[in-house]
Amino acid sequence: MNVAILTFQFAHNYGALLQAYALKTYLQNHNMNAEIAPYYPDWARSEYAISPFAKGVPPKRRVRLALQYFKRKKQSRVFSRFIEEELKVNDAISEQKELVIWLDHHDCVICGSDQIWNNNITGDSSAYYAGGCKTRRISYAASLGTLQLTEVQKDNIKANLPYFSKISVREPSSAAKIAEMIQKEVRVVLDPVFLLKKDEWRKIAKSVNVESNYVLLYFLQENEELLNFAKAYAQEHNLRIYDIHPTMSKKHSGCKRLNNVGPKEFVWLIQNASCVCTNSFHATAFSVIFEKKLIHIPNGKSPERTISLLNRAGLELKKQGEFPFYDLSKCDSSSLYHEISESKVFIENALRREKNGDQDCNNDRR
């Protein structure tokens, strides 16, 4: 079966690229001919540009990019190499009409994972719902990325999701909202990074020259309280703090910034850290996978993602003001392992062709 994956494969972001790699690898390991849609819309080209002369970059940002260009160029190459070598995608399509033609050459389209249905990122386009596509559509661990549905999300959900063969999302509240709107079953599944085993992640991990005992700091949203918790823990346990960020964002005093860290280095740094301090969903996910010590306060923009994940891993979030420390090697993860198994079953069932000539595909055309 030829399967197209529609996701954020262009983002120079650790989680975006690793979840795309995980889903593609899992499908290939199960005898699917899986490829990622080479869709790179104009809004994304502007958002992830490192050149100040890139199309669509606002004037103020051009100045900032010019000042950061040489520093970010090497970092950018690490991500580009991962996209080319591991995801094997060339990002040739920028228009939705071209995307639909490309998708329709496949037996099935999987929309997801990541925040592909967050219109604060994608705008009002139906592209990430595979709008206009005639082939069979399913979603896997798609995320709305918002606490409340926007009017754009509601419109796209009503216009597109009733025609999906199977629907799954990453957060329970999103599943309930979508199911209520379209009166159709919506499953909750785990992010694709959980589809691969710990040993499979170790195989792609690339070592970094660091001291053996360290706290890894990775913030998607600045949080002074979380930073202070990391410093206090590091001082108590005599640990160095290494700080990473995909776009070389703000440095933190008392922390050593590591440059040229791509997805493979990201996995290795989490695997080998004495403790991980983060408000990133995917850094939290890999901390769960490698059963690390974790200092975590949820990202304020989309807190449900990590709260839901830690609950599945057998943990309750600490109350505000408490030291937000979790030892993931000591929690009861039986519920999480069950959900990993159920997530795999969902994919297998969703991709299984109907005996009556794939009738669901024909019924879902729009």
Side-chain angles (χ1 to χ4, degrees):
M1 178 184 287
N2 293 317
V3 181
I5 300 169
L6 184 54
T7 189
F8 294 156
Q9 81 296 336
F10 47 75
H12 286 192
N13 174 286
Y14 304 121
L17 298 188
L18 289 168
Q19 64 82 22
Y21 169 84
L23 183 55
K24 180 180 179 182
T25 300
Y26 179 80
L27 294 173
Q28 289 176 333
N29 289 345
H30 288 75
N31 301 316
M32 299 284 177
N33 180 22
E35 55 182 338
I36 295 170
Y39 181 53
Y40 198 178
D42 288 339
W43 63 261
R45 293 175 190 269
S46 170
E47 178 69 23
Y48 290 98
I50 65 165
S51 169
F53 305 109
K55 179 183 176 181
V57 176
K60 287 185 178 179
R61 190 158 169 253
R62 287 187 189 277
V63 176
R64 189 169 73 251
L65 288 178
L67 295 172
Q68 297 176 338
Y69 179 72
F70 290 104
K71 183 173 65 173
R72 289 186 57 186
K73 191 174 181 180
K74 288 183 179 180
Q75 177 89 354
S76 178
R77 284 175 182 163
V78 179
F79 284 95
S80 296
R81 192 178 307 122
F82 185 89
I83 293 169
E84 293 167 8
E85 295 177 356
E86 302 298 339
L87 302 186
K88 301 188 185 306
V89 59
N90 61 11
D91 297 329
I93 296 173
S94 61
E95 299 294 330
Q96 186 172 343
K97 289 181 180 179
E98 292 180 73
L99 171 66
V100 170
I101 293 170
W102 188 89
L103 293 175
D104 279 342
H105 284 100
H106 296 77
D107 299 311
C108 184
V109 177
I110 298 180
C111 298
S113 175
D114 219 342
Q115 297 183 59
I116 59 165
W117 294 342
N118 183 349
N119 67 285
N120 293 322
I121 298 174
T122 63
D124 61 2
S125 170
S126 65
Y128 284 97
Y129 297 81
C133 186
K134 295 178 181 178
T135 196
R136 185 159 55 116
R137 287 175 281 176
I138 68 173
S139 70
Y140 182 80
S143 178
L144 294 164
T146 57
L147 291 173
Q148 299 296 326
L149 292 178
T150 67
E151 291 304 313
V152 171
Q153 286 173 322
K154 291 177 183 177
D155 289 344
N156 269 318
I157 287 168
K158 291 175 183 176
N160 295 285
L161 294 192
Y163 302 94
F164 276 53
S165 297
K166 302 286 182 182
I167 304 170
S168 69
V169 295
R170 202 164 59 188
E171 291 88 30
S173 68
S174 298
K177 290 169 185 173
I178 294 172
E180 183 179 2
M181 285 184 63
I182 64 174
Q183 299 300 305
K184 193 167 183 174
E185 182 185 27
V186 181
R187 296 282 300 278
V188 179
V189 295
L190 291 172
D191 186 275
V193 298
F194 290 99
L195 298 175
L196 301 187
K197 296 178 181 178
K198 190 186 303 184
D199 288 344
E200 292 178 280
W201 286 118
R202 286 195 179 108
K203 288 178 182 177
I204 74 158
K206 188 173 181 179
S207 64
V208 181
N209 185 21
V210 293
E211 294 180 12
S212 57
N213 298 311
Y214 61 90
V215 173
L216 180 67
L217 186 77
Y218 175 42
F219 287 174
L220 281 183
Q221 182 183 57
E222 287 302 313
N223 189 318
E224 193 70 25
E225 182 184 21
L226 188 56
L227 177 61
N228 290 334
F229 280 132
K231 289 180 177 179
Y233 183 88
Q235 184 175 11
E236 180 182 351
H237 296 275
N238 195 29
L239 301 171
R240 184 99 185 238
I241 302 178
Y242 289 112
D243 179 18
I244 62 171
H245 196 279
T247 61
M248 311 295 287
S249 189
K250 180 181 176 181
K251 292 183 179 180
H252 302 96
S253 64
C255 306
K256 170 69 174 177
R257 168 57 60 87
L258 297 176
N259 298 324
N260 307 327
V261 173
K264 294 182 179 182
E265 292 83 1
F266 175 80
V267 173
W268 188 92
L269 285 165
I270 292 179
Q271 176 193 337
N272 291 279
S274 300
C275 182
V276 177
C277 180
T278 189
N279 51 26
S280 151
F281 171 82
H282 279 104
T284 302
F286 278 98
S287 296
V288 171
I289 289 170
F290 288 115
E291 300 178 314
K292 306 304 297 185
K293 291 181 174 66
L294 174 71
I295 301 172
H296 175 73
I297 295 175
N299 188 320
K301 293 181 180 179
S302 50
E304 188 200 10
R305 296 191 295 157
T306 51
I307 294 172
S308 173
L309 173 59
L310 291 177
N311 287 343
R312 290 160 166 172
L315 294 170
E316 287 189 16
L317 211 67
K318 300 289 178 68
K319 295 178 181 178
Q320 187 173 1
E322 293 182 333
F323 181 42
F325 175 81
Y326 308 90
D327 188 342
L328 295 165
S329 68
K330 295 181 179 179
C331 61
D332 180 5
S333 298
S334 55
S335 174
L336 181 68
Y337 296 141
H338 174 72
E339 290 200 47
I340 292 173
S341 177
E342 288 296 302
S343 297
K344 292 176 179 179
V345 169
F346 173 85
I347 294 180
E348 292 168 10
N349 288 342
L351 290 175
R352 186 177 294 127
R353 285 183 177 275
E354 298 293 330
K355 292 181 180 179
N356 58 354
D358 205 7
Q359 185 176 351
D360 64 337
C361 174
N362 295 325
N363 289 341
D364 292 336
R365 294 193 172 192
R366 178 170 170 80

